[in-house]
Amino acid sequence: MSYKHLFQRALAAAPERLHFAAHSHHLWPDASYLGQLAAWEDGVRLADRKWERVMGEIWPAAQRHVAAELKLPDPDTVVFAPNTHELLLRIASARPGPLRILASTGEFHSFRRQSMRWEEAGSATVERVPLEEIVARASAGAHDLIFVSQVQFGTGQVFDGIAELAALARPEGPWVVIDGYHAFMAMEVDLSAVADKVFYLAGGYKYAMAGEGCAFLHAPPGYGPRPEITGWYAEFEDLSLPPGSIGYAPDGRRFLGATFDPSGIYRFVAVRDMLRQEELTTATIAAHVDGLRAQLLAELPIAAALRNPDSPARFLALQSPHAQRWKAELEAEDVITDVRGDVLRIGFGLYQDARDVRRLIEALSWLR
């Protein structure tokens, strides 16, 4: 089965490229182009009044899509921002410091760098443990904030202890923050049982196929009512407060910042609407990807250790001392993968089919 017809613009833009980095920068479907155009057209047609449409129609539609995907009981717990780092800062600012943070040793560069800088500044102490030790260490009760990726970005390892961490969470602390970027729309995620306990971060850049500028946070009710890092949109509905007052929305919008570019949210809604029209669910896309993954694994012509043999992650993590060289040699042939340390990552997406995997196998056969 091929879904290339949904990606005609992206594929035509570089017809010789073989793109196997959907886990890094997913190619955009044609629907995202229509969403981008709609954002521009609303901006010129409505001018100052465009925010009535953005916040009154596009934003709620995006909230409903996220809530439906994650099985959240209330879409109003979802708030959007240009990136997850911005949302992380607001979460941290809503707790008195210095923070005692627990994290895994495999977190993405953004959190790794920020948490190291907090340590350097004396704003936090950070304990980092292997993923399989997170729940046990969290149970000790020595932390204010627990941060862990649902799918580790480097290895594709999946964390299955969200329910256990949620059982520890309290509004007064600890708080549990799940980085779901490599899980959202890559695998089925059901937060219905823990939605009142955990924060969840993800966005549109990867498997949601919507590009940059559409990160989101699910914020459990009662957790962090007054973030210290805050913008005027956090009280957008009540600009009539007395001078000097600092109001906050009662829902997820309490974590909002200031004026933002809404085009990413337009793209996200357009892509999700397209998937619904095509009857393409996350499970359907995952099944397509699983077939491509199995095809590659059956004929993988290079010797490397597979770090995630049973993972539902949308990429293969191949560990080898040759990983950096392999990535460079593939890129010289316009075959796009990526590398993290000594791990070559090969990612799959809806825009690939069996012919693409065959071409990839042929390209890999030259590597030693």
Side-chain angles (χ1 to χ4, degrees):
M1 183 67 178
S2 178
Y3 298 97
K4 288 181 180 291
H5 63 283
L6 302 176
F7 296 84
Q8 293 182 54
R9 288 180 175 274
L11 295 174
E16 299 305 315
R17 177 181 60 194
L18 193 59
H19 193 270
F20 273 89
H23 59 286
S24 179
H25 182 116
H26 200 291
L27 293 189
W28 294 3
D30 297 340
S32 65
Y33 178 77
L34 300 178
Q36 186 73 28
L37 284 181
W40 191 92
E41 290 169 352
D42 281 354
V44 296
R45 178 173 60 89
L46 299 172
D48 309 69
R49 295 184 59 197
K50 79 174 185 181
W51 293 106
E52 297 174 19
R53 173 156 164 75
V54 170
M55 302 306 292
E57 299 179 45
I58 305 301
W59 180 283
Q63 287 179 306
R64 291 191 294 270
H65 279 305
V66 171
E69 180 69 25
L70 297 176
K71 310 298 189 293
L72 298 172
D74 182 5
D76 286 340
T77 62
V78 176
V79 60
F80 297 93
N83 53 70
T84 58
H85 180 253
E86 186 173 311
L87 293 165
L88 170 65
L89 295 181
R90 297 201 195 116
I91 294 171
S93 79
R95 287 200 57 84
L99 292 175
R100 299 169 300 166
I101 300 174
L102 175 66
S104 85
T105 53
E107 296 308 315
F108 184 62
H109 303 310
S110 179
F111 176 83
R112 176 191 56 79
R113 175 184 169 84
Q114 184 63 68
S115 62
M116 290 175 64
R117 183 65 181 95
W118 279 335
E119 288 182 286
E120 185 181 75
S123 304
T125 58
V126 186
E127 180 181 0
R128 300 172 181 85
V129 300
L131 189 63
E132 55 271 15
E133 298 177 18
I134 281 281
V135 173
R137 288 299 301 136
S139 300
H143 306 93
D144 303 305
L145 190 150
I146 303 158
F147 188 97
V148 62
S149 290
Q150 189 173 9
V151 176
Q152 301 273 284
F153 85 101
T155 64
Q157 186 178 1
V158 176
F159 176 62
D160 59 3
I162 294 177
E164 288 84 348
L165 291 184
L168 304 173
R170 301 287 185 274
E172 64 274 15
W175 291 358
V176 175
V177 182
I178 304 298
D179 182 346
Y181 228 129
H182 274 287
F184 182 66
M185 292 182 62
M187 52 188 278
E188 293 185 285
V189 177
D190 186 344
L191 298 181
S192 59
V194 298
D196 61 336
K197 295 286 189 179
V198 304
F199 292 87
Y200 193 90
L201 291 164
Y205 189 61
K206 300 186 186 301
Y207 314 103
M209 301 179 267
E212 307 88 340
C214 186
F216 69 82
L217 166 68
H218 156 69
Y223 286 69
R226 293 175 59 83
E228 182 179 342
I229 296 178
T230 186
W232 69 287
Y233 266 54
E235 59 179 23
F236 192 76
E237 281 193 344
D238 198 356
L239 298 180
S240 61
L241 288 170
S245 298
I246 305 175
Y248 286 86
D251 52 28
R253 290 171 301 167
R254 65 191 183 275
F255 287 96
L256 265 171
T259 307
F260 60 93
D261 176 2
S263 60
I265 304 175
Y266 274 83
R267 294 194 302 268
F268 174 67
V269 171
V271 170
R272 289 286 303 194
D273 286 347
M274 176 272 290
L275 293 175
R276 182 170 54 192
Q277 291 163 7
E278 296 286 334
E279 299 183 344
L280 285 170
T281 65
T282 294
T284 304
I285 299 171
H288 175 77
V289 164
D290 287 346
L292 302 178
R293 174 190 173 109
Q295 180 186 354
L296 177 59
L297 284 175
E299 301 184 57
L300 193 65
I302 58 176
L306 181 59
R307 294 291 303 275
N308 57 340
D310 302 315
S311 170
R314 291 273 185 91
F315 61 92
L316 290 178
L318 302 173
Q319 188 172 30
S320 168
H322 307 298
Q324 297 276 351
R325 176 173 58 82
W326 287 347
K327 186 260 185 185
E329 291 179 3
L330 287 169
E331 189 168 1
E333 299 298 324
D334 211 8
V335 179
I336 309 303
T337 59
D338 74 353
V339 68
R340 294 291 182 265
D342 62 351
V343 176
L344 181 74
R345 301 192 305 175
I346 299 175
F348 303 92
L350 192 61
Y351 52 86
Q352 300 154 348
D353 60 20
R355 291 169 296 176
D356 295 321
V357 176
R358 170 51 52 193
R359 288 179 57 199
L360 176 63
I361 291 169
E362 292 171 358
L364 290 172
S365 69
W366 294 100
L367 300 182
R368 294 291 183 269

